[in-house]
């Protein structure tokens, strides 16, 4: 109103109860924002660009720490010759700059980063995920179960140590530096195999203990219907996975169904395909290194498992301080943890978050693909035939144009059907057919090919002795 000439500074100060000097200062600066103290070292535009870069680096998987931010601010001011009061001996900006910078930009927050394997960052990209959803949709359409969530199952293993999984917040005297909690650092591990369908119904779990002899007490105090097996290392094997297929067949719904699982080595064997075919179960393997976003059990059920496990373990130790933590005590604790994490809500939310049911290829958020930008390469225009040598079966000519997926679409040599591997397996009794008409069980997957050696090698240099003999 003062700038438009409607009121004078005296009249505006009296009407709106604002000091006249404040009005004059804002009129002189041309800004209406309140600002106290001296100006910041970096301008508003420079800080806005720094904020955008910090957010982008965090999205692609290389977040900036507080120390690195101070070092980068010092280097930027030195290169741009911006006047500053930084300590040249430390080659970093002060902690005060960091504190005031975060105060001016509340959209930034300090978080503890979760480690991600470089292979996971590379494989979770739009091309692989898009191909996964197209193949998954073709399986649902062929089986006619797109609108039958009770026929869509997911199985995953969880390694559980019979000890605390996370550091706990405890109470002690203020200022005390040495605070300890007695717990086994190298405890025995047990593998828990969980399975559920898209409507939230859970299959009784399978427990894998390490050892050879199955004692009767190992089956006590477990959820009803649980299957207990002994393995040499306490982890899943091909034989135990076949037994789980039969365990699932006992409790699954009638009619055709699909079992979704990851590409662990013990899951990829032609005997598993044959057993699933007998049970009328279609196998679907997820792309490698993408299960943290595409597997329902990892996404929701097992996310809360370790939290509930630690709480029940502390409760058990406080009630039975004289007992040692072993396989029998695992059963008591596990029976309290399993119903809390394997709920209908958790299971159904896992299928919804991964886009498996309801079918939603857009369920994976855009920021989940950001880490793959560091390794993104353009798609090849022409596929060339390569001659390779198999370690097991001698010479083979494999062309990228001759390998087809089960749905008829071409693929590269990195993605082979498990049934094609079983066809060339000399130990198999009969060749396993891969056509859709002659078999009811296929595996639609991104499976690694056997190791091959290239025939064309560089010429070997002749030694001096060889030349002397010539």
């Amino acid at each position: 109103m003062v700038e438009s000439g409607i009121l004078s500074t005296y009249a505006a100060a009296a009407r709106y109860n604002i000091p006249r000097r404040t009005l004059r200062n804002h009129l002189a600066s041309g800004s209406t924002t309140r600002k106290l103290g001296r100006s910041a070292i970096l301008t508003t535009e420079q800080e806005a660009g720094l904020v955008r870069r910090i957010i982008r680096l965090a999205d692609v998987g290389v977040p900036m720490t507080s120390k690195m931010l101070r070092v980068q601010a010092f280097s930027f001011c030195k290169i741009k010759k911006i006047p500053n009061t930084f300590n040249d001996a430390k080659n970093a900006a002060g902690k005060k700059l960091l504190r005031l910078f975060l105060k001016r930009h509340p959209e930034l927050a300090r978080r503890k980063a979760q480690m991600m394997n470089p292979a996971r960052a590379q494989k979770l990209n739009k091309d692989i995920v898009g191909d996964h959803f197209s193949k998954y949709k073709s399986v649902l359409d062929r089986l006619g179960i797109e609108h039958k969530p009770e026929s869509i199952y997911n199985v995953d293993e969880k390694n559980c140590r019979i000890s605390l999984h996370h550091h706990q917040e405890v109470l002690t005297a203020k200022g005390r530096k040495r605070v300890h909690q007695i717990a086994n650092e190298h405890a025995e591990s047990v593998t828990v195999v969980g399975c559920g369908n898209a409507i939230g119904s859970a299959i009784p779990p399978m427990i894998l203990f390490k050892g050879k002899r199955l004692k009767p007490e190992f089956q006590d105090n477990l959820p009803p219907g649980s299957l207990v097996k002994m393995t040499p290392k306490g982890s899943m094997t091909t034989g135990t996975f076949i037994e789980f297929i039969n365990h699932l067949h006992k409790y699954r719904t009638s009619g055709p169904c699909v079992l979704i699982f990851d590409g662990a080595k013990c899951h990829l064997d032609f005997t598993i395909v044959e057993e699933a075919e007998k049970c009328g179960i279609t196998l679907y393997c997820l792309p490698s290194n993408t299960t943290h976003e595409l597997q329902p059990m990892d996404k929701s059920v097992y996310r809360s498992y370790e939290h509930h496990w630690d709480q029940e373990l502390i409760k058990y130790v406080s009630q039975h301080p004289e007992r040692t933590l072993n396989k029998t005590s695992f059963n008591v604790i596990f029976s309290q943890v399993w119903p809390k994490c394997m709920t209908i809500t958790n299971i159904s939310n896992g299928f919804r978050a991964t886009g498996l049911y309801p079918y939603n290829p857009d369920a994976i958020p855009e920021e989940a693909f950001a880490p793959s930008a560091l390794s993104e390469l353009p798609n090849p225009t022409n596929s060339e035939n390569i001659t390779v040598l198999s370690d097991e079966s001698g010479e083979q000519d494999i062309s990228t144009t001759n390998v087809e997926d089960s749905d008829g679409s071409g693929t590269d040599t990195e993605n082979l059907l498990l049934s094609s591997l079983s066809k060339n397996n000399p130990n198999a009794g009969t060749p396993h057919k891969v056509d859709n008409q002659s078999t009811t069980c296929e595996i639609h997957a991104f499976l690694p090919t056997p190791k091959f050696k290239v025939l064309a090698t560089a010429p070997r240099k002749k030694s001096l002795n060889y030349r002397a003999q010539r």
Side-chain angles (χ1 to χ4, degrees), residues 137 139-141 143-149 152 356-359:
K137 183 65 164 56
V139 174
L140 296 183
D141 293 341
L143 298 177
I145 58 174
E146 182 179 0
H147 302 292
K148 296 181 179 180
I152 304 175
L356 298 181
Y357 185 84
Y359 178 77

Side-chain angles (χ1 to χ4, degrees), residues 145-211:
I145 58 174
E146 182 179 0
H147 302 292
K148 296 181 179 180
E150 67 277 4
S151 300
I152 304 175
Y153 290 87
N154 174 233
V155 61
D156 189 27
E157 298 91 1
K158 173 65 178 177
N159 183 271
C160 179
R161 288 185 297 108
I162 312 179
S163 180
L164 289 176
H165 290 180
H166 300 287
H167 296 288
Q168 305 295 314
E169 291 186 359
V170 298
L171 300 177
T172 186
K174 190 173 183 179
R176 189 66 56 85
K177 296 182 179 180
R178 294 178 178 83
V179 181
H180 303 288
Q181 186 172 11
I182 300 176
N184 294 330
E185 296 182 0
H186 306 286
E188 183 179 353
S189 295
V190 179
T191 299
V192 179
V193 184
C195 181
N197 58 16
I199 62 174
S201 298
I203 300 297
M206 181 180 187
I207 311 298
L208 303 178
F209 290 122
K210 180 181 179 181

Side-chain angles (χ1 to χ4, degrees), residues 21-270:
R21 186 176 297 276
T22 301
L23 288 175
R24 293 179 59 183
N25 291 338
H26 283 292
L27 291 171
S29 63
S31 175
T32 59
T33 59
R34 183 181 181 184
K35 186 177 180 181
L36 299 178
R38 59 184 180 182
S39 302
I41 295 176
L42 300 179
T43 62
T44 304
E45 293 76 12
Q46 291 171 344
E47 287 194 353
L50 180 59
V51 169
R52 290 193 298 269
R53 176 160 297 188
I54 291 174
I55 296 176
R56 178 57 181 169
L57 289 175
D59 290 340
V60 300
V62 283
M64 185 178 294
T65 62
S66 300
K67 178 66 176 179
M68 286 305 302
L69 176 60
R70 293 164 54 197
V71 172
Q72 293 296 326
F74 176 85
S75 302
F76 181 80
C77 293
K78 185 176 182 180
I79 294 174
K80 297 295 182 179
K81 297 180 180 180
I82 300 176
N84 59 79
T85 58
F86 301 150
N87 189 351
D88 295 337
K90 295 183 178 180
N91 293 329
K95 295 181 180 180
K96 184 177 180 181
L97 178 137
L98 174 64
R99 177 172 54 83
L100 296 178
F101 175 77
L102 295 178
K103 185 177 180 180
R104 289 192 296 270
H105 299 280
E107 64 270 23
L108 299 178
R110 296 184 181 183
R111 297 283 300 275
K112 285 187 177 180
Q114 184 179 1
M115 296 299 177
M116 175 181 287
N117 192 301
R120 291 185 179 271
Q122 181 181 4
K123 291 294 186 69
L124 190 71
N125 54 66
K126 293 183 178 180
D127 293 331
I128 291 181
V129 174
D131 190 51
H132 148 69
F133 275 107
S134 63
K135 291 182 177 180
Y136 174 70
K137 183 65 164 56
S138 66
V139 174
L140 296 183
D141 293 341
R142 183 172 58 83
L143 298 177
I145 58 174
E146 182 179 0
H147 302 292
K148 296 181 179 180
E150 67 277 4
S151 300
I152 304 175
Y153 290 87
N154 174 233
V155 61
D156 189 27
E157 298 91 1
K158 173 65 178 177
N159 183 271
C160 179
R161 288 185 297 108
I162 312 179
S163 180
L164 289 176
H165 290 180
H166 300 287
H167 296 288
Q168 305 295 314
E169 291 186 359
V170 298
L171 300 177
T172 186
K174 190 173 183 179
R176 189 66 56 85
K177 296 182 179 180
R178 294 178 178 83
V179 181
H180 303 288
Q181 186 172 11
I182 300 176
N184 294 330
E185 296 182 0
H186 306 286
E188 183 179 353
S189 295
V190 179
T191 299
V192 179
V193 184
C195 181
N197 58 16
I199 62 174
S201 298
I203 300 297
M206 181 180 187
I207 311 298
L208 303 178
F209 290 122
K210 180 181 179 181
K212 295 182 179 180
R213 188 165 62 93
L214 179 60
K215 297 181 180 180
E217 57 267 22
F218 293 168
Q219 301 179 0
D220 298 337
N221 301 318
L222 285 175
S226 299
L227 180 64
V228 181
K229 293 295 178 180
M230 307 295 292
T231 59
K233 296 183 179 180
S235 57
M236 179 67 79
T237 62
T238 301
T240 52
F241 192 71
I242 292 176
E243 292 182 0
F244 175 79
I245 294 292
N246 295 321
H247 178 66
L248 171 64
H249 181 59
K250 185 189 303 183
Y251 293 97
R252 74 178 183 91
T253 57
S254 59
C257 72
V258 60
L259 178 62
I260 304 168
F261 57 94
D262 55 40
K265 183 179 179 180
C266 58
H267 298 164
L268 308 180
D269 192 84
F270 71 97

Side-chain angles (χ1 to χ4, degrees), residues 199-414:
I199 62 174
S201 298
I203 300 297
M206 181 180 187
I207 311 298
L208 303 178
F209 290 122
K210 180 181 179 181
K212 295 182 179 180
R213 188 165 62 93
L214 179 60
K215 297 181 180 180
E217 57 267 22
F218 293 168
Q219 301 179 0
D220 298 337
N221 301 318
L222 285 175
S226 299
L227 180 64
V228 181
K229 293 295 178 180
M230 307 295 292
T231 59
K233 296 183 179 180
S235 57
M236 179 67 79
T237 62
T238 301
T240 52
F241 192 71
I242 292 176
E243 292 182 0
F244 175 79
I245 294 292
N246 295 321
H247 178 66
L248 171 64
H249 181 59
K250 185 189 303 183
Y251 293 97
R252 74 178 183 91
T253 57
S254 59
C257 72
V258 60
L259 178 62
I260 304 168
F261 57 94
D262 55 40
K265 183 179 179 180
C266 58
H267 298 164
L268 308 180
D269 192 84
F270 71 97
T271 56
I272 298 175
V273 180
E274 293 175 348
E275 190 65 29
E277 180 180 354
K278 296 177 183 177
C279 299
I281 300 175
T282 301
L283 302 178
Y284 182 85
C285 182
L286 294 171
S288 62
N289 297 296
T290 59
T291 55
H292 59 289
E293 290 289 345
L294 300 182
Q295 180 140 259
M297 290 294 169
D298 277 342
K299 195 69 175 177
S300 61
V301 176
Y302 291 150
R303 185 179 293 271
S304 61
Y305 179 87
E306 294 183 356
H307 168 73
H308 294 302
W309 172 268
D310 287 347
Q311 299 300 320
E312 293 297 330
L313 179 68
I314 294 174
K315 182 179 178 180
Y316 178 84
V317 173
S318 62
Q319 294 177 352
H320 310 282
E322 73 284 353
R323 299 184 183 179
T324 58
L325 297 176
N326 50 26
K327 294 181 178 67
T328 56
S329 57
F330 167 84
N331 293 355
V332 177
I333 302 173
F334 177 77
S335 61
Q336 301 296 324
V337 176
W338 192 247
K340 294 182 179 179
C341 63
M342 208 69 172
T343 62
I344 297 177
T345 304
N346 283 351
I347 300 174
S348 57
N349 286 344
F351 279 88
R352 184 179 297 107
T354 54
L356 298 181
Y357 185 84
Y359 178 77
N360 181 17
D362 300 326
I364 309 301
E366 192 71 23
E367 57 267 18
F369 303 112
S372 64
L374 299 178
S375 58
E376 185 176 359
L377 295 175
N379 292 327
T381 55
N382 297 323
S383 59
E384 299 178 355
N385 297 342
I386 58 174
T387 305
V388 293
L389 178 65
S390 174
D391 288 339
E392 295 85 0
S393 59
E395 296 185 0
Q396 288 183 352
D397 292 338
I398 295 184
S399 171
T400 55
T401 59
N402 294 332
V403 179
E404 290 186 350
D405 290 331
S406 58
D407 57 355
S409 60
T411 182
D412 55 10
T413 53
E414 293 182 358

